[in-house]
C-alpha cells in the first residue's frame, strides 16, 4: 500500500495503527517524529500513558528538595504533540503479539484491548529491589513525581516532629536519613535533600543542626564510576565536605520502621530510607514471552523484536545493542539514548510503511552532568571534566534545553531564579500523608498479566464480541 493511496483514502482500506506504549523520553520523541514524518492519513497513531505529561526524570531530586515545583518537570503531552495522536489514559499490562493486541488498563480500572499493526514498547523501568528483610515495606523510591512529592513532605515532617519531640531517641531517629545508591539518582537526591535540611534547620530553634545526618551508601567501590576517577573523587569530596557520610562497599542488611541495619554491622536509627539502587525493566516486557537480558527485551540494532512482526522496543526496557561501544554491549538506560532511539524507531516505522530498508541505531554518549545543588556540580561534556560553577552551568543548561516546551523551560528557569534569591519556605503540603509509601504502591508493579493471562483475556474479549 502506498502513501498516495492512504492520502486519497477509501472507506474499504483501514489505515495502519501505530500504538506507542509509554510517555517517557523514548515514547514522546517517537510520537513527535511520527507526527512530523507521516503524511496526513498515512497512519493512525495512539499513545498509551497513565499521566497526561512526560516526566523529566533527571530533575526529580530538585522537586524533592523544593528547588522546583512538581508542575515544572511534568511536561504536558498536549503541548508537546501536534494533536494528531490519540492519547489513551492508562497503562499497558500485557501484549498478545500473535493477535496483535495490547491489553490496556485505563485510569478508571476498565481493561480494553487495543489492536495494532505496529507496536512501540517504551514502558521504561521500575526501581530494582532485592530480597532484603523490610526493604519493600519501608523504603521509598525516586522514580515518580508522586514519590518525589512524598519524600519532600516526609523529610520536612521529620524535622517538624523532631522539633516537637521531648524524646531524644525519637529525635535522633527522625534526624538521620539514609539514601541507598551511589549512581546519579542517589547522589543527587542525597545532595539536594541534605541542602534542604541544612537550610531548614535555621528555622527550627530547638533543633541542633549537628544532629541532622545524611548517609549515602552503595555496594560499589566507587561513587558514580561513569564519571571517571577524578570527577568521582571530586563528587565524593563535595559530599563529605558538606557533612554527608558516604559509605562504599556497603548496602542494607535489614530495614525496620525506626532503624536501618547496614551490611557492615552498623545500626542507624532512621525513619527515612530512600532506595535508588538501580532500575529494572518494566514487567510488561515479560508478558511477550520472548527472550530478555536482565529483564530487558532482546532487540536487533534496528530495535525490532526478533521473530515478532511489527513490534519495536527501546529505552530502559530494551537491550538495544550499543554499536558504538561494540563487544556485545547494550545501551545504558539513559535519557540521552532513549531520546535518540525514539527518533530512530519513528524513522524505521515510516520506512517500513513505505517499503524502505530499516536502519540500525548508533550513537556515542555525549557526556554526563551531575547537579549537587547550590553551586556544587560535576560534569563531563564531550569528555571535558568540569567542577563547581562551570559544571553547574553546563548541567542546568543541558537540562533546560532538553525540556520539551517553552512553558516548561520558563517554569524551571523561574523556579531556579526564585530559589536562588528567596530560598525555600519548607512547606509540606500533606497531599500524600495518608497514602502508603511503598515502592509497589507508587510504581504499580503488581498490575501486569502473565503471557497466559494475556492470551486468555484477548480470546475472551474476542469471543464476547463474536
Amino acid at each position: 500500500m502506498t502513501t498516495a493511496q492512504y492520502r486519497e483514502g477509501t472507506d474499504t482500506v483501514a489505515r495502519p495503527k501505530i500504538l506507542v506504549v509509554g510517555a517517557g523520553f523514548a515514547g514522546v520523541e517517537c510520537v513527535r517524529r511520527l507526527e512530523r514524518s507521516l503524511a496526513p492519513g498515512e497512519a493512525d497513531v495512539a499513545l498509551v500513558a497513565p499521566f497526561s505529561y512526560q516526566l523529566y526524570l533527571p530533575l526529580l531530586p530538585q522537586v524533592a528538595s523544593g528547588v522546583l515545583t512538581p508542575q515544572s518537570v511534568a511536561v504536558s503531552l498536549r503541548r508537546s504533540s501536534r494533536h494528531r495522536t490519540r492519547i489513551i489514559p492508562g497503562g499497558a499490562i500485557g501484549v498478545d503479539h500473535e493477535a496483535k493486541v495490547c491489553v490496556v488498563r485505563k485510569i478508571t480500572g476498565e481493561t480494553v484491548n487495543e489492536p495494532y499493526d505496529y507496536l512501540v514498547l517504551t514502558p521504561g523501568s521500575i526501581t530494582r529491589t532485592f530480597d532484603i528483610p523490610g526493604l519493600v515495606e519501608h523504603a521509598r523510591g525516586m522514580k515518580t513525581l508522586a514519590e518525589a512529592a512524598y519524600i519532600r513532605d516526609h523529610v520536612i515532617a521529620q524535622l517538624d516532629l523532631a522539633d516537637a519531640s521531648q524524646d531524644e531517641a525519637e529525635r535522633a531517629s527522625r534526624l538521620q536519613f539514609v539514601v541507598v545508591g551511589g549512581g546519579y539518582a542517589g547522589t543527587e537526591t542525597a545532595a539536594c535533600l541534605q541542602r534542604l535540611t541544612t537550610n531548614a534547620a535555621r528555622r527550627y530553634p530547638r533543633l541542633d543542626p549537628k544532629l541532622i545526618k545524611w548517609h549515602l551508601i552503595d555496594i560499589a567501590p566507587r561513587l558514580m564510576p561513569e564519571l571517571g576517577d577524578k570527577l568521582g573523587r571530586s563528587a565524593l569530596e563535595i559530599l563529605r565536605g558538606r557533612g554527608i557520610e558516604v559509605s562504599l562497599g556497603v548496602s542494607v542488611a535489614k530495614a525496620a520502621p525506626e532503624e536501618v541495619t547496614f551490611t557492615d554491622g552498623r545500626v542507624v536509627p532512621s525513619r527515612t530510607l530512600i532506595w535508588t539502587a538501580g532500575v529494572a525493566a518494566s514487567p510488561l516486557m515479560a508478558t511477550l514471552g520472548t527472550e530478555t537480558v536482565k529483564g530487558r527485551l532482546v532487540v536487533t540494532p534496528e530495535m525490532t523484536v526478533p521473530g515478532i512482526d511489527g513490534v519495536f522496543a527501546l529505552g530502559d526496557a530494551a537491550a538495544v545493542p550499543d554499536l558504538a561501544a561494540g563487544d556485545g554491549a547494550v545501551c545504558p538506560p539513559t535519557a540521552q539514548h532513549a531520546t535518540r532511539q525514539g527518533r530512530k524507531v519513528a524513522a524505521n516505522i515510516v520506512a517500513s510503511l513505505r517499503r524502505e530498508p530499516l536502519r540500525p541505531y548508533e550513537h556515542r554518549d555525549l557526556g554526563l552532568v551531575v547537579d549537587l545543588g547550590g553551586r556544587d556540580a560535576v560534569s563531563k561534556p564531550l569528555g571535558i571534566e568540569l567542577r563547581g560553577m562551570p559544571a553547574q552551568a553546563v548541567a542546568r543548561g543541558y537540562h533546560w534545553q532538553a525540556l520539551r516546551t517553552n512553558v516548561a523551560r520558563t517554569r524551571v528557569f523561574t523556579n531556579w531564579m526564585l530559589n536562588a534569591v528567596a530560598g525555600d519556605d519548607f512547606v509540606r503540603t500533606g497531599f500524600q500523608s495518608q497514602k502508603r509509601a511503598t515502592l509497589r504502591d507508587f510504581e504499580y508493579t503488581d498490575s501486569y498479566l502473565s503471557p497466559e493471562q494475556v492470551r486468555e483475556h484477548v480470546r475472551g474479549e474476542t469471543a464476547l464480541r463474536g
Side-chain angles (χ1 to χ4, degrees):
M1 192 65 61
T2 66
T3 303
Q5 285 176 292
Y6 283 117
R7 277 203 299 268
E8 292 166 5
T10 67
D11 293 334
T12 59
V13 178
R15 290 193 293 263
K17 292 180 173 63
I18 303 171
L19 185 65
V20 180
V21 173
F25 290 99
V28 170
E29 186 62 28
C30 182
V31 166
R32 282 164 56 92
R33 291 290 166 149
L34 286 170
E35 288 185 331
R36 293 178 184 179
S37 303
L38 292 170
E42 189 172 0
D44 291 330
V45 181
L47 173 65
V48 179
F51 307 109
S52 61
Y53 59 80
Q54 176 199 355
L55 177 62
Y56 192 80
L57 197 64
L59 291 179
L60 268 190
Q62 295 190 33
V63 173
S65 63
V67 175
L68 298 176
T69 61
Q71 191 178 11
S72 302
V73 301
V75 183
S76 170
L77 295 178
R78 304 289 177 181
R79 281 186 179 273
S80 60
S81 73
R82 294 190 175 189
H83 313 297
R84 291 173 54 188
T85 297
R86 179 170 64 105
I87 299 177
I88 304 169
I93 58 174
V95 175
D96 185 339
H97 58 81
E98 294 178 356
K100 284 202 166 186
V101 168
C102 181
V103 182
V104 176
R105 181 169 291 149
K106 292 185 176 180
I107 58 176
T108 60
E110 176 190 5
T111 302
V112 297
N113 292 341
E114 287 290 335
Y116 65 84
D117 295 292
Y118 294 93
L119 177 64
V120 181
L121 294 173
T122 70
S125 57
I126 60 172
T127 301
R128 180 181 62 183
T129 57
F130 300 94
D131 189 18
I132 298 172
L135 177 66
V136 173
E137 293 80 9
H138 303 298
R140 283 94 179 174
M142 270 290 287
K143 281 286 291 178
T144 68
L145 199 55
E147 286 173 316
Y150 181 93
I151 286 173
R152 173 174 167 78
D153 270 15
H154 173 80
V155 168
I156 296 175
Q158 300 315 298
L159 300 180
D160 290 346
L161 291 165
D163 183 64
S165 177
Q166 303 295 327
D167 186 323
E168 292 301 321
E170 178 190 353
R171 182 176 290 189
S173 67
R174 293 196 183 279
L175 295 179
Q176 292 207 62
F177 307 89
V178 178
V179 179
V180 185
Y184 303 111
T187 301
E188 290 186 335
T189 296
C192 290
L193 286 173
Q194 184 269 343
R195 190 167 179 267
L196 168 70
T197 55
T198 298
N199 293 335
R202 304 188 185 104
R203 306 289 181 176
Y204 295 84
R206 297 182 65 252
L207 286 187
D208 182 355
K210 295 179 181 177
L211 295 178
I212 302 175
K213 194 166 189 179
W214 283 85
H215 300 264
L216 175 62
I217 67 174
D218 195 286
I219 196 66
R222 290 191 299 163
L223 192 71
M224 293 184 292
E226 299 90 343
L227 285 173
D229 289 338
K230 288 184 180 179
L231 283 186
R233 283 197 301 269
S234 294
L236 187 60
E237 290 168 4
I238 290 170
L239 297 179
R240 286 177 171 166
R242 283 165 46 176
I244 299 175
E245 185 171 315
V246 182
S247 302
L248 301 175
V250 176
S251 188
V252 173
K254 182 172 62 173
E258 298 180 14
E259 65 181 28
V260 181
T261 304
F262 294 171
T263 52
D264 62 3
R266 283 180 291 164
V267 179
V268 176
S270 175
R271 304 187 188 212
T272 306
L273 173 60
I274 303 173
W275 183 268
T276 67
V279 296
S282 166
L284 176 66
M285 311 315 272
T287 70
L288 275 79
T290 59
E291 185 182 359
T292 59
V293 175
K294 297 181 178 178
R296 300 175 74 180
L297 204 62
V298 171
V299 296
T300 67
E302 294 77 22
M303 289 169 285
T304 61
V305 180
I308 301 181
D309 179 51
V311 178
F312 294 79
L314 57 155
D316 293 7
V320 179
D322 190 345
L323 301 183
D327 296 326
V330 297
C331 295
T334 65
Q336 193 177 135
H337 278 290
T339 299
R340 288 162 176 80
Q341 289 168 7
R343 295 173 193 165
K344 182 63 70 175
V345 163
N348 280 342
I349 289 176
V350 173
S352 180
L353 283 169
R354 298 172 183 174
R355 304 295 189 266
E356 297 170 357
L358 309 189
R359 296 183 181 276
Y361 171 75
E362 184 171 3
H363 168 70
R364 192 172 298 279
D365 210 301
L366 299 179
L368 308 164
V369 295
V370 182
D371 190 335
L372 299 175
R375 299 181 178 182
D376 295 329
V378 290
S379 300
K380 195 175 181 180
L382 301 173
I384 302 170
E385 296 185 348
L386 300 173
R387 302 166 181 79
M389 286 300 291
Q392 182 68 281
V394 169
R396 295 204 168 180
Y398 171 80
H399 291 314
W400 186 82
Q401 65 83 29
L403 291 163
R404 294 279 178 194
T405 67
N406 288 330
V407 171
R409 292 188 182 116
T410 301
R411 285 201 179 103
V412 166
F413 184 77
T414 302
N415 284 177
W416 279 338
M417 293 300 101
L418 183 62
N419 185 266
V421 173
D424 199 332
D425 288 329
F426 315 112
V427 173
R428 53 185 171 88
T429 63
F431 294 151
Q432 304 282 345
S433 60
Q434 300 304 312
K435 181 178 176 64
R436 293 182 64 215
T438 67
L439 298 171
R440 287 175 180 165
D441 290 326
F442 277 126
E443 299 187 31
Y444 308 105
T445 54
D446 296 332
S447 300
Y448 299 91
L449 304 177
S450 69
E452 294 75 19
Q453 289 173 321
V454 172
R455 287 193 291 271
E456 288 176 7
H457 175 83
V458 171
R459 281 146 184 74
E461 290 291 314
T462 303
L464 285 174
R465 286 198 301 272

